[in-house]
Amino acid sequence: MIKVWLPVSLLIASVYSYASPVLVNVIDGDTVIIRDNTLTYHLRLLDIDAPERQQAFGIQSRRSLKQLCEHANIAVQLQGRDLYGRTLGHLYCNNTDASQSQIALGMAWFNTRYSKRLELDALQHQALQQGLGLWQDAEPMPPWQWRKLYGQYYRRQE
């Protein structure tokens, strides 16, 4: 009788086990690839817009997000999809809000067009006043302007 119950109990335990989300890759300063159980998807972080990798501070922004999340315990709060099919949501790395961290370090813009989190606007203002990250430039170009000017000349790296 024990021989029968052991495989059945292992099967039940495996059905009910839940794997935490895993960071597969950091695409840029506001997009990552997540594997959650058997599903793998691109997660576009809400509330921010980071420089493109080919843009000034693009590599630094990607490196900043990678450093925060690469070996961290992560949690994801999904919020829908964007026009490119990417999943939208919040990413937490060791309980730190990745969007908030990127803004505080001057590695992304607060996306006022799509977000109403005013505490992020205050963090951006602080980073600007302290000259952190992209705010070291006298006139940093927001990524939405950069994509409008140069978007046709680069291929998305994924």
Side-chain angles (χ1 to χ4, degrees):
M1 189 70 159
I2 296 269
K3 290 181 182 179
V4 172
W5 282 107
L6 184 59
V8 171
S9 63
L10 289 175
L11 177 63
I12 291 170
S14 68
V15 168
Y16 286 103
S17 68
Y18 177 78
S20 296
V22 175
L23 181 72
V24 174
N25 194 16
V26 177
I27 301 299
D28 57 26
D30 59 21
T31 307
V32 297
I33 298 176
I34 301 288
R35 182 174 43 249
D36 201 347
N37 286 332
T38 60
L39 181 65
T40 300
Y41 56 92
H42 283 74
L43 177 69
R44 172 67 169 76
L45 302 185
L46 286 172
D47 305 315
I48 66 173
D49 199 355
E52 299 297 333
R53 289 199 317 196
Q54 300 82 352
Q55 184 180 358
F57 286 94
I59 298 296
Q60 295 93 323
S61 178
R62 178 182 182 269
R63 190 177 301 135
S64 172
L65 185 58
K66 188 173 183 175
Q67 189 173 16
L68 175 67
C69 299
E70 190 169 42
H71 298 292
N73 292 320
I74 66 168
V76 177
Q77 186 179 47
L78 302 178
Q79 299 287 322
R81 292 192 176 273
D82 69 6
L83 297 174
Y84 305 103
R86 295 173 300 191
T87 303
L88 300 172
H90 297 282
L91 176 63
Y92 300 91
C93 305
N94 288 335
N95 296 318
T96 298
D97 180 335
S99 295
Q100 185 175 354
S101 178
Q102 287 290 84
I103 290 173
L105 295 170
M107 293 296 157
W109 273 261
F110 170 54
N111 198 340
T112 58
R113 186 172 173 194
Y114 298 107
S115 178
K116 302 297 179 219
R117 291 180 60 190
L118 297 180
E119 73 275 12
L120 299 180
D121 193 30
L123 282 174
Q124 178 172 290
H125 185 72
Q126 267 186 324
L128 170 65
Q129 293 300 312
Q130 295 172 5
L132 300 176
L134 60 90
W135 303 112
Q136 293 171 32
D137 274 358
E139 293 184 33
M141 182 182 290
W144 55 89
Q145 289 178 359
W146 189 91
R147 286 188 297 266
K148 192 173 185 178
L149 290 172
Y150 305 108
Q152 70 272 22
Y153 298 115
Y154 80 99
R155 186 176 63 81
R156 281 200 171 285
Q157 302 290 319
E158 298 186 14

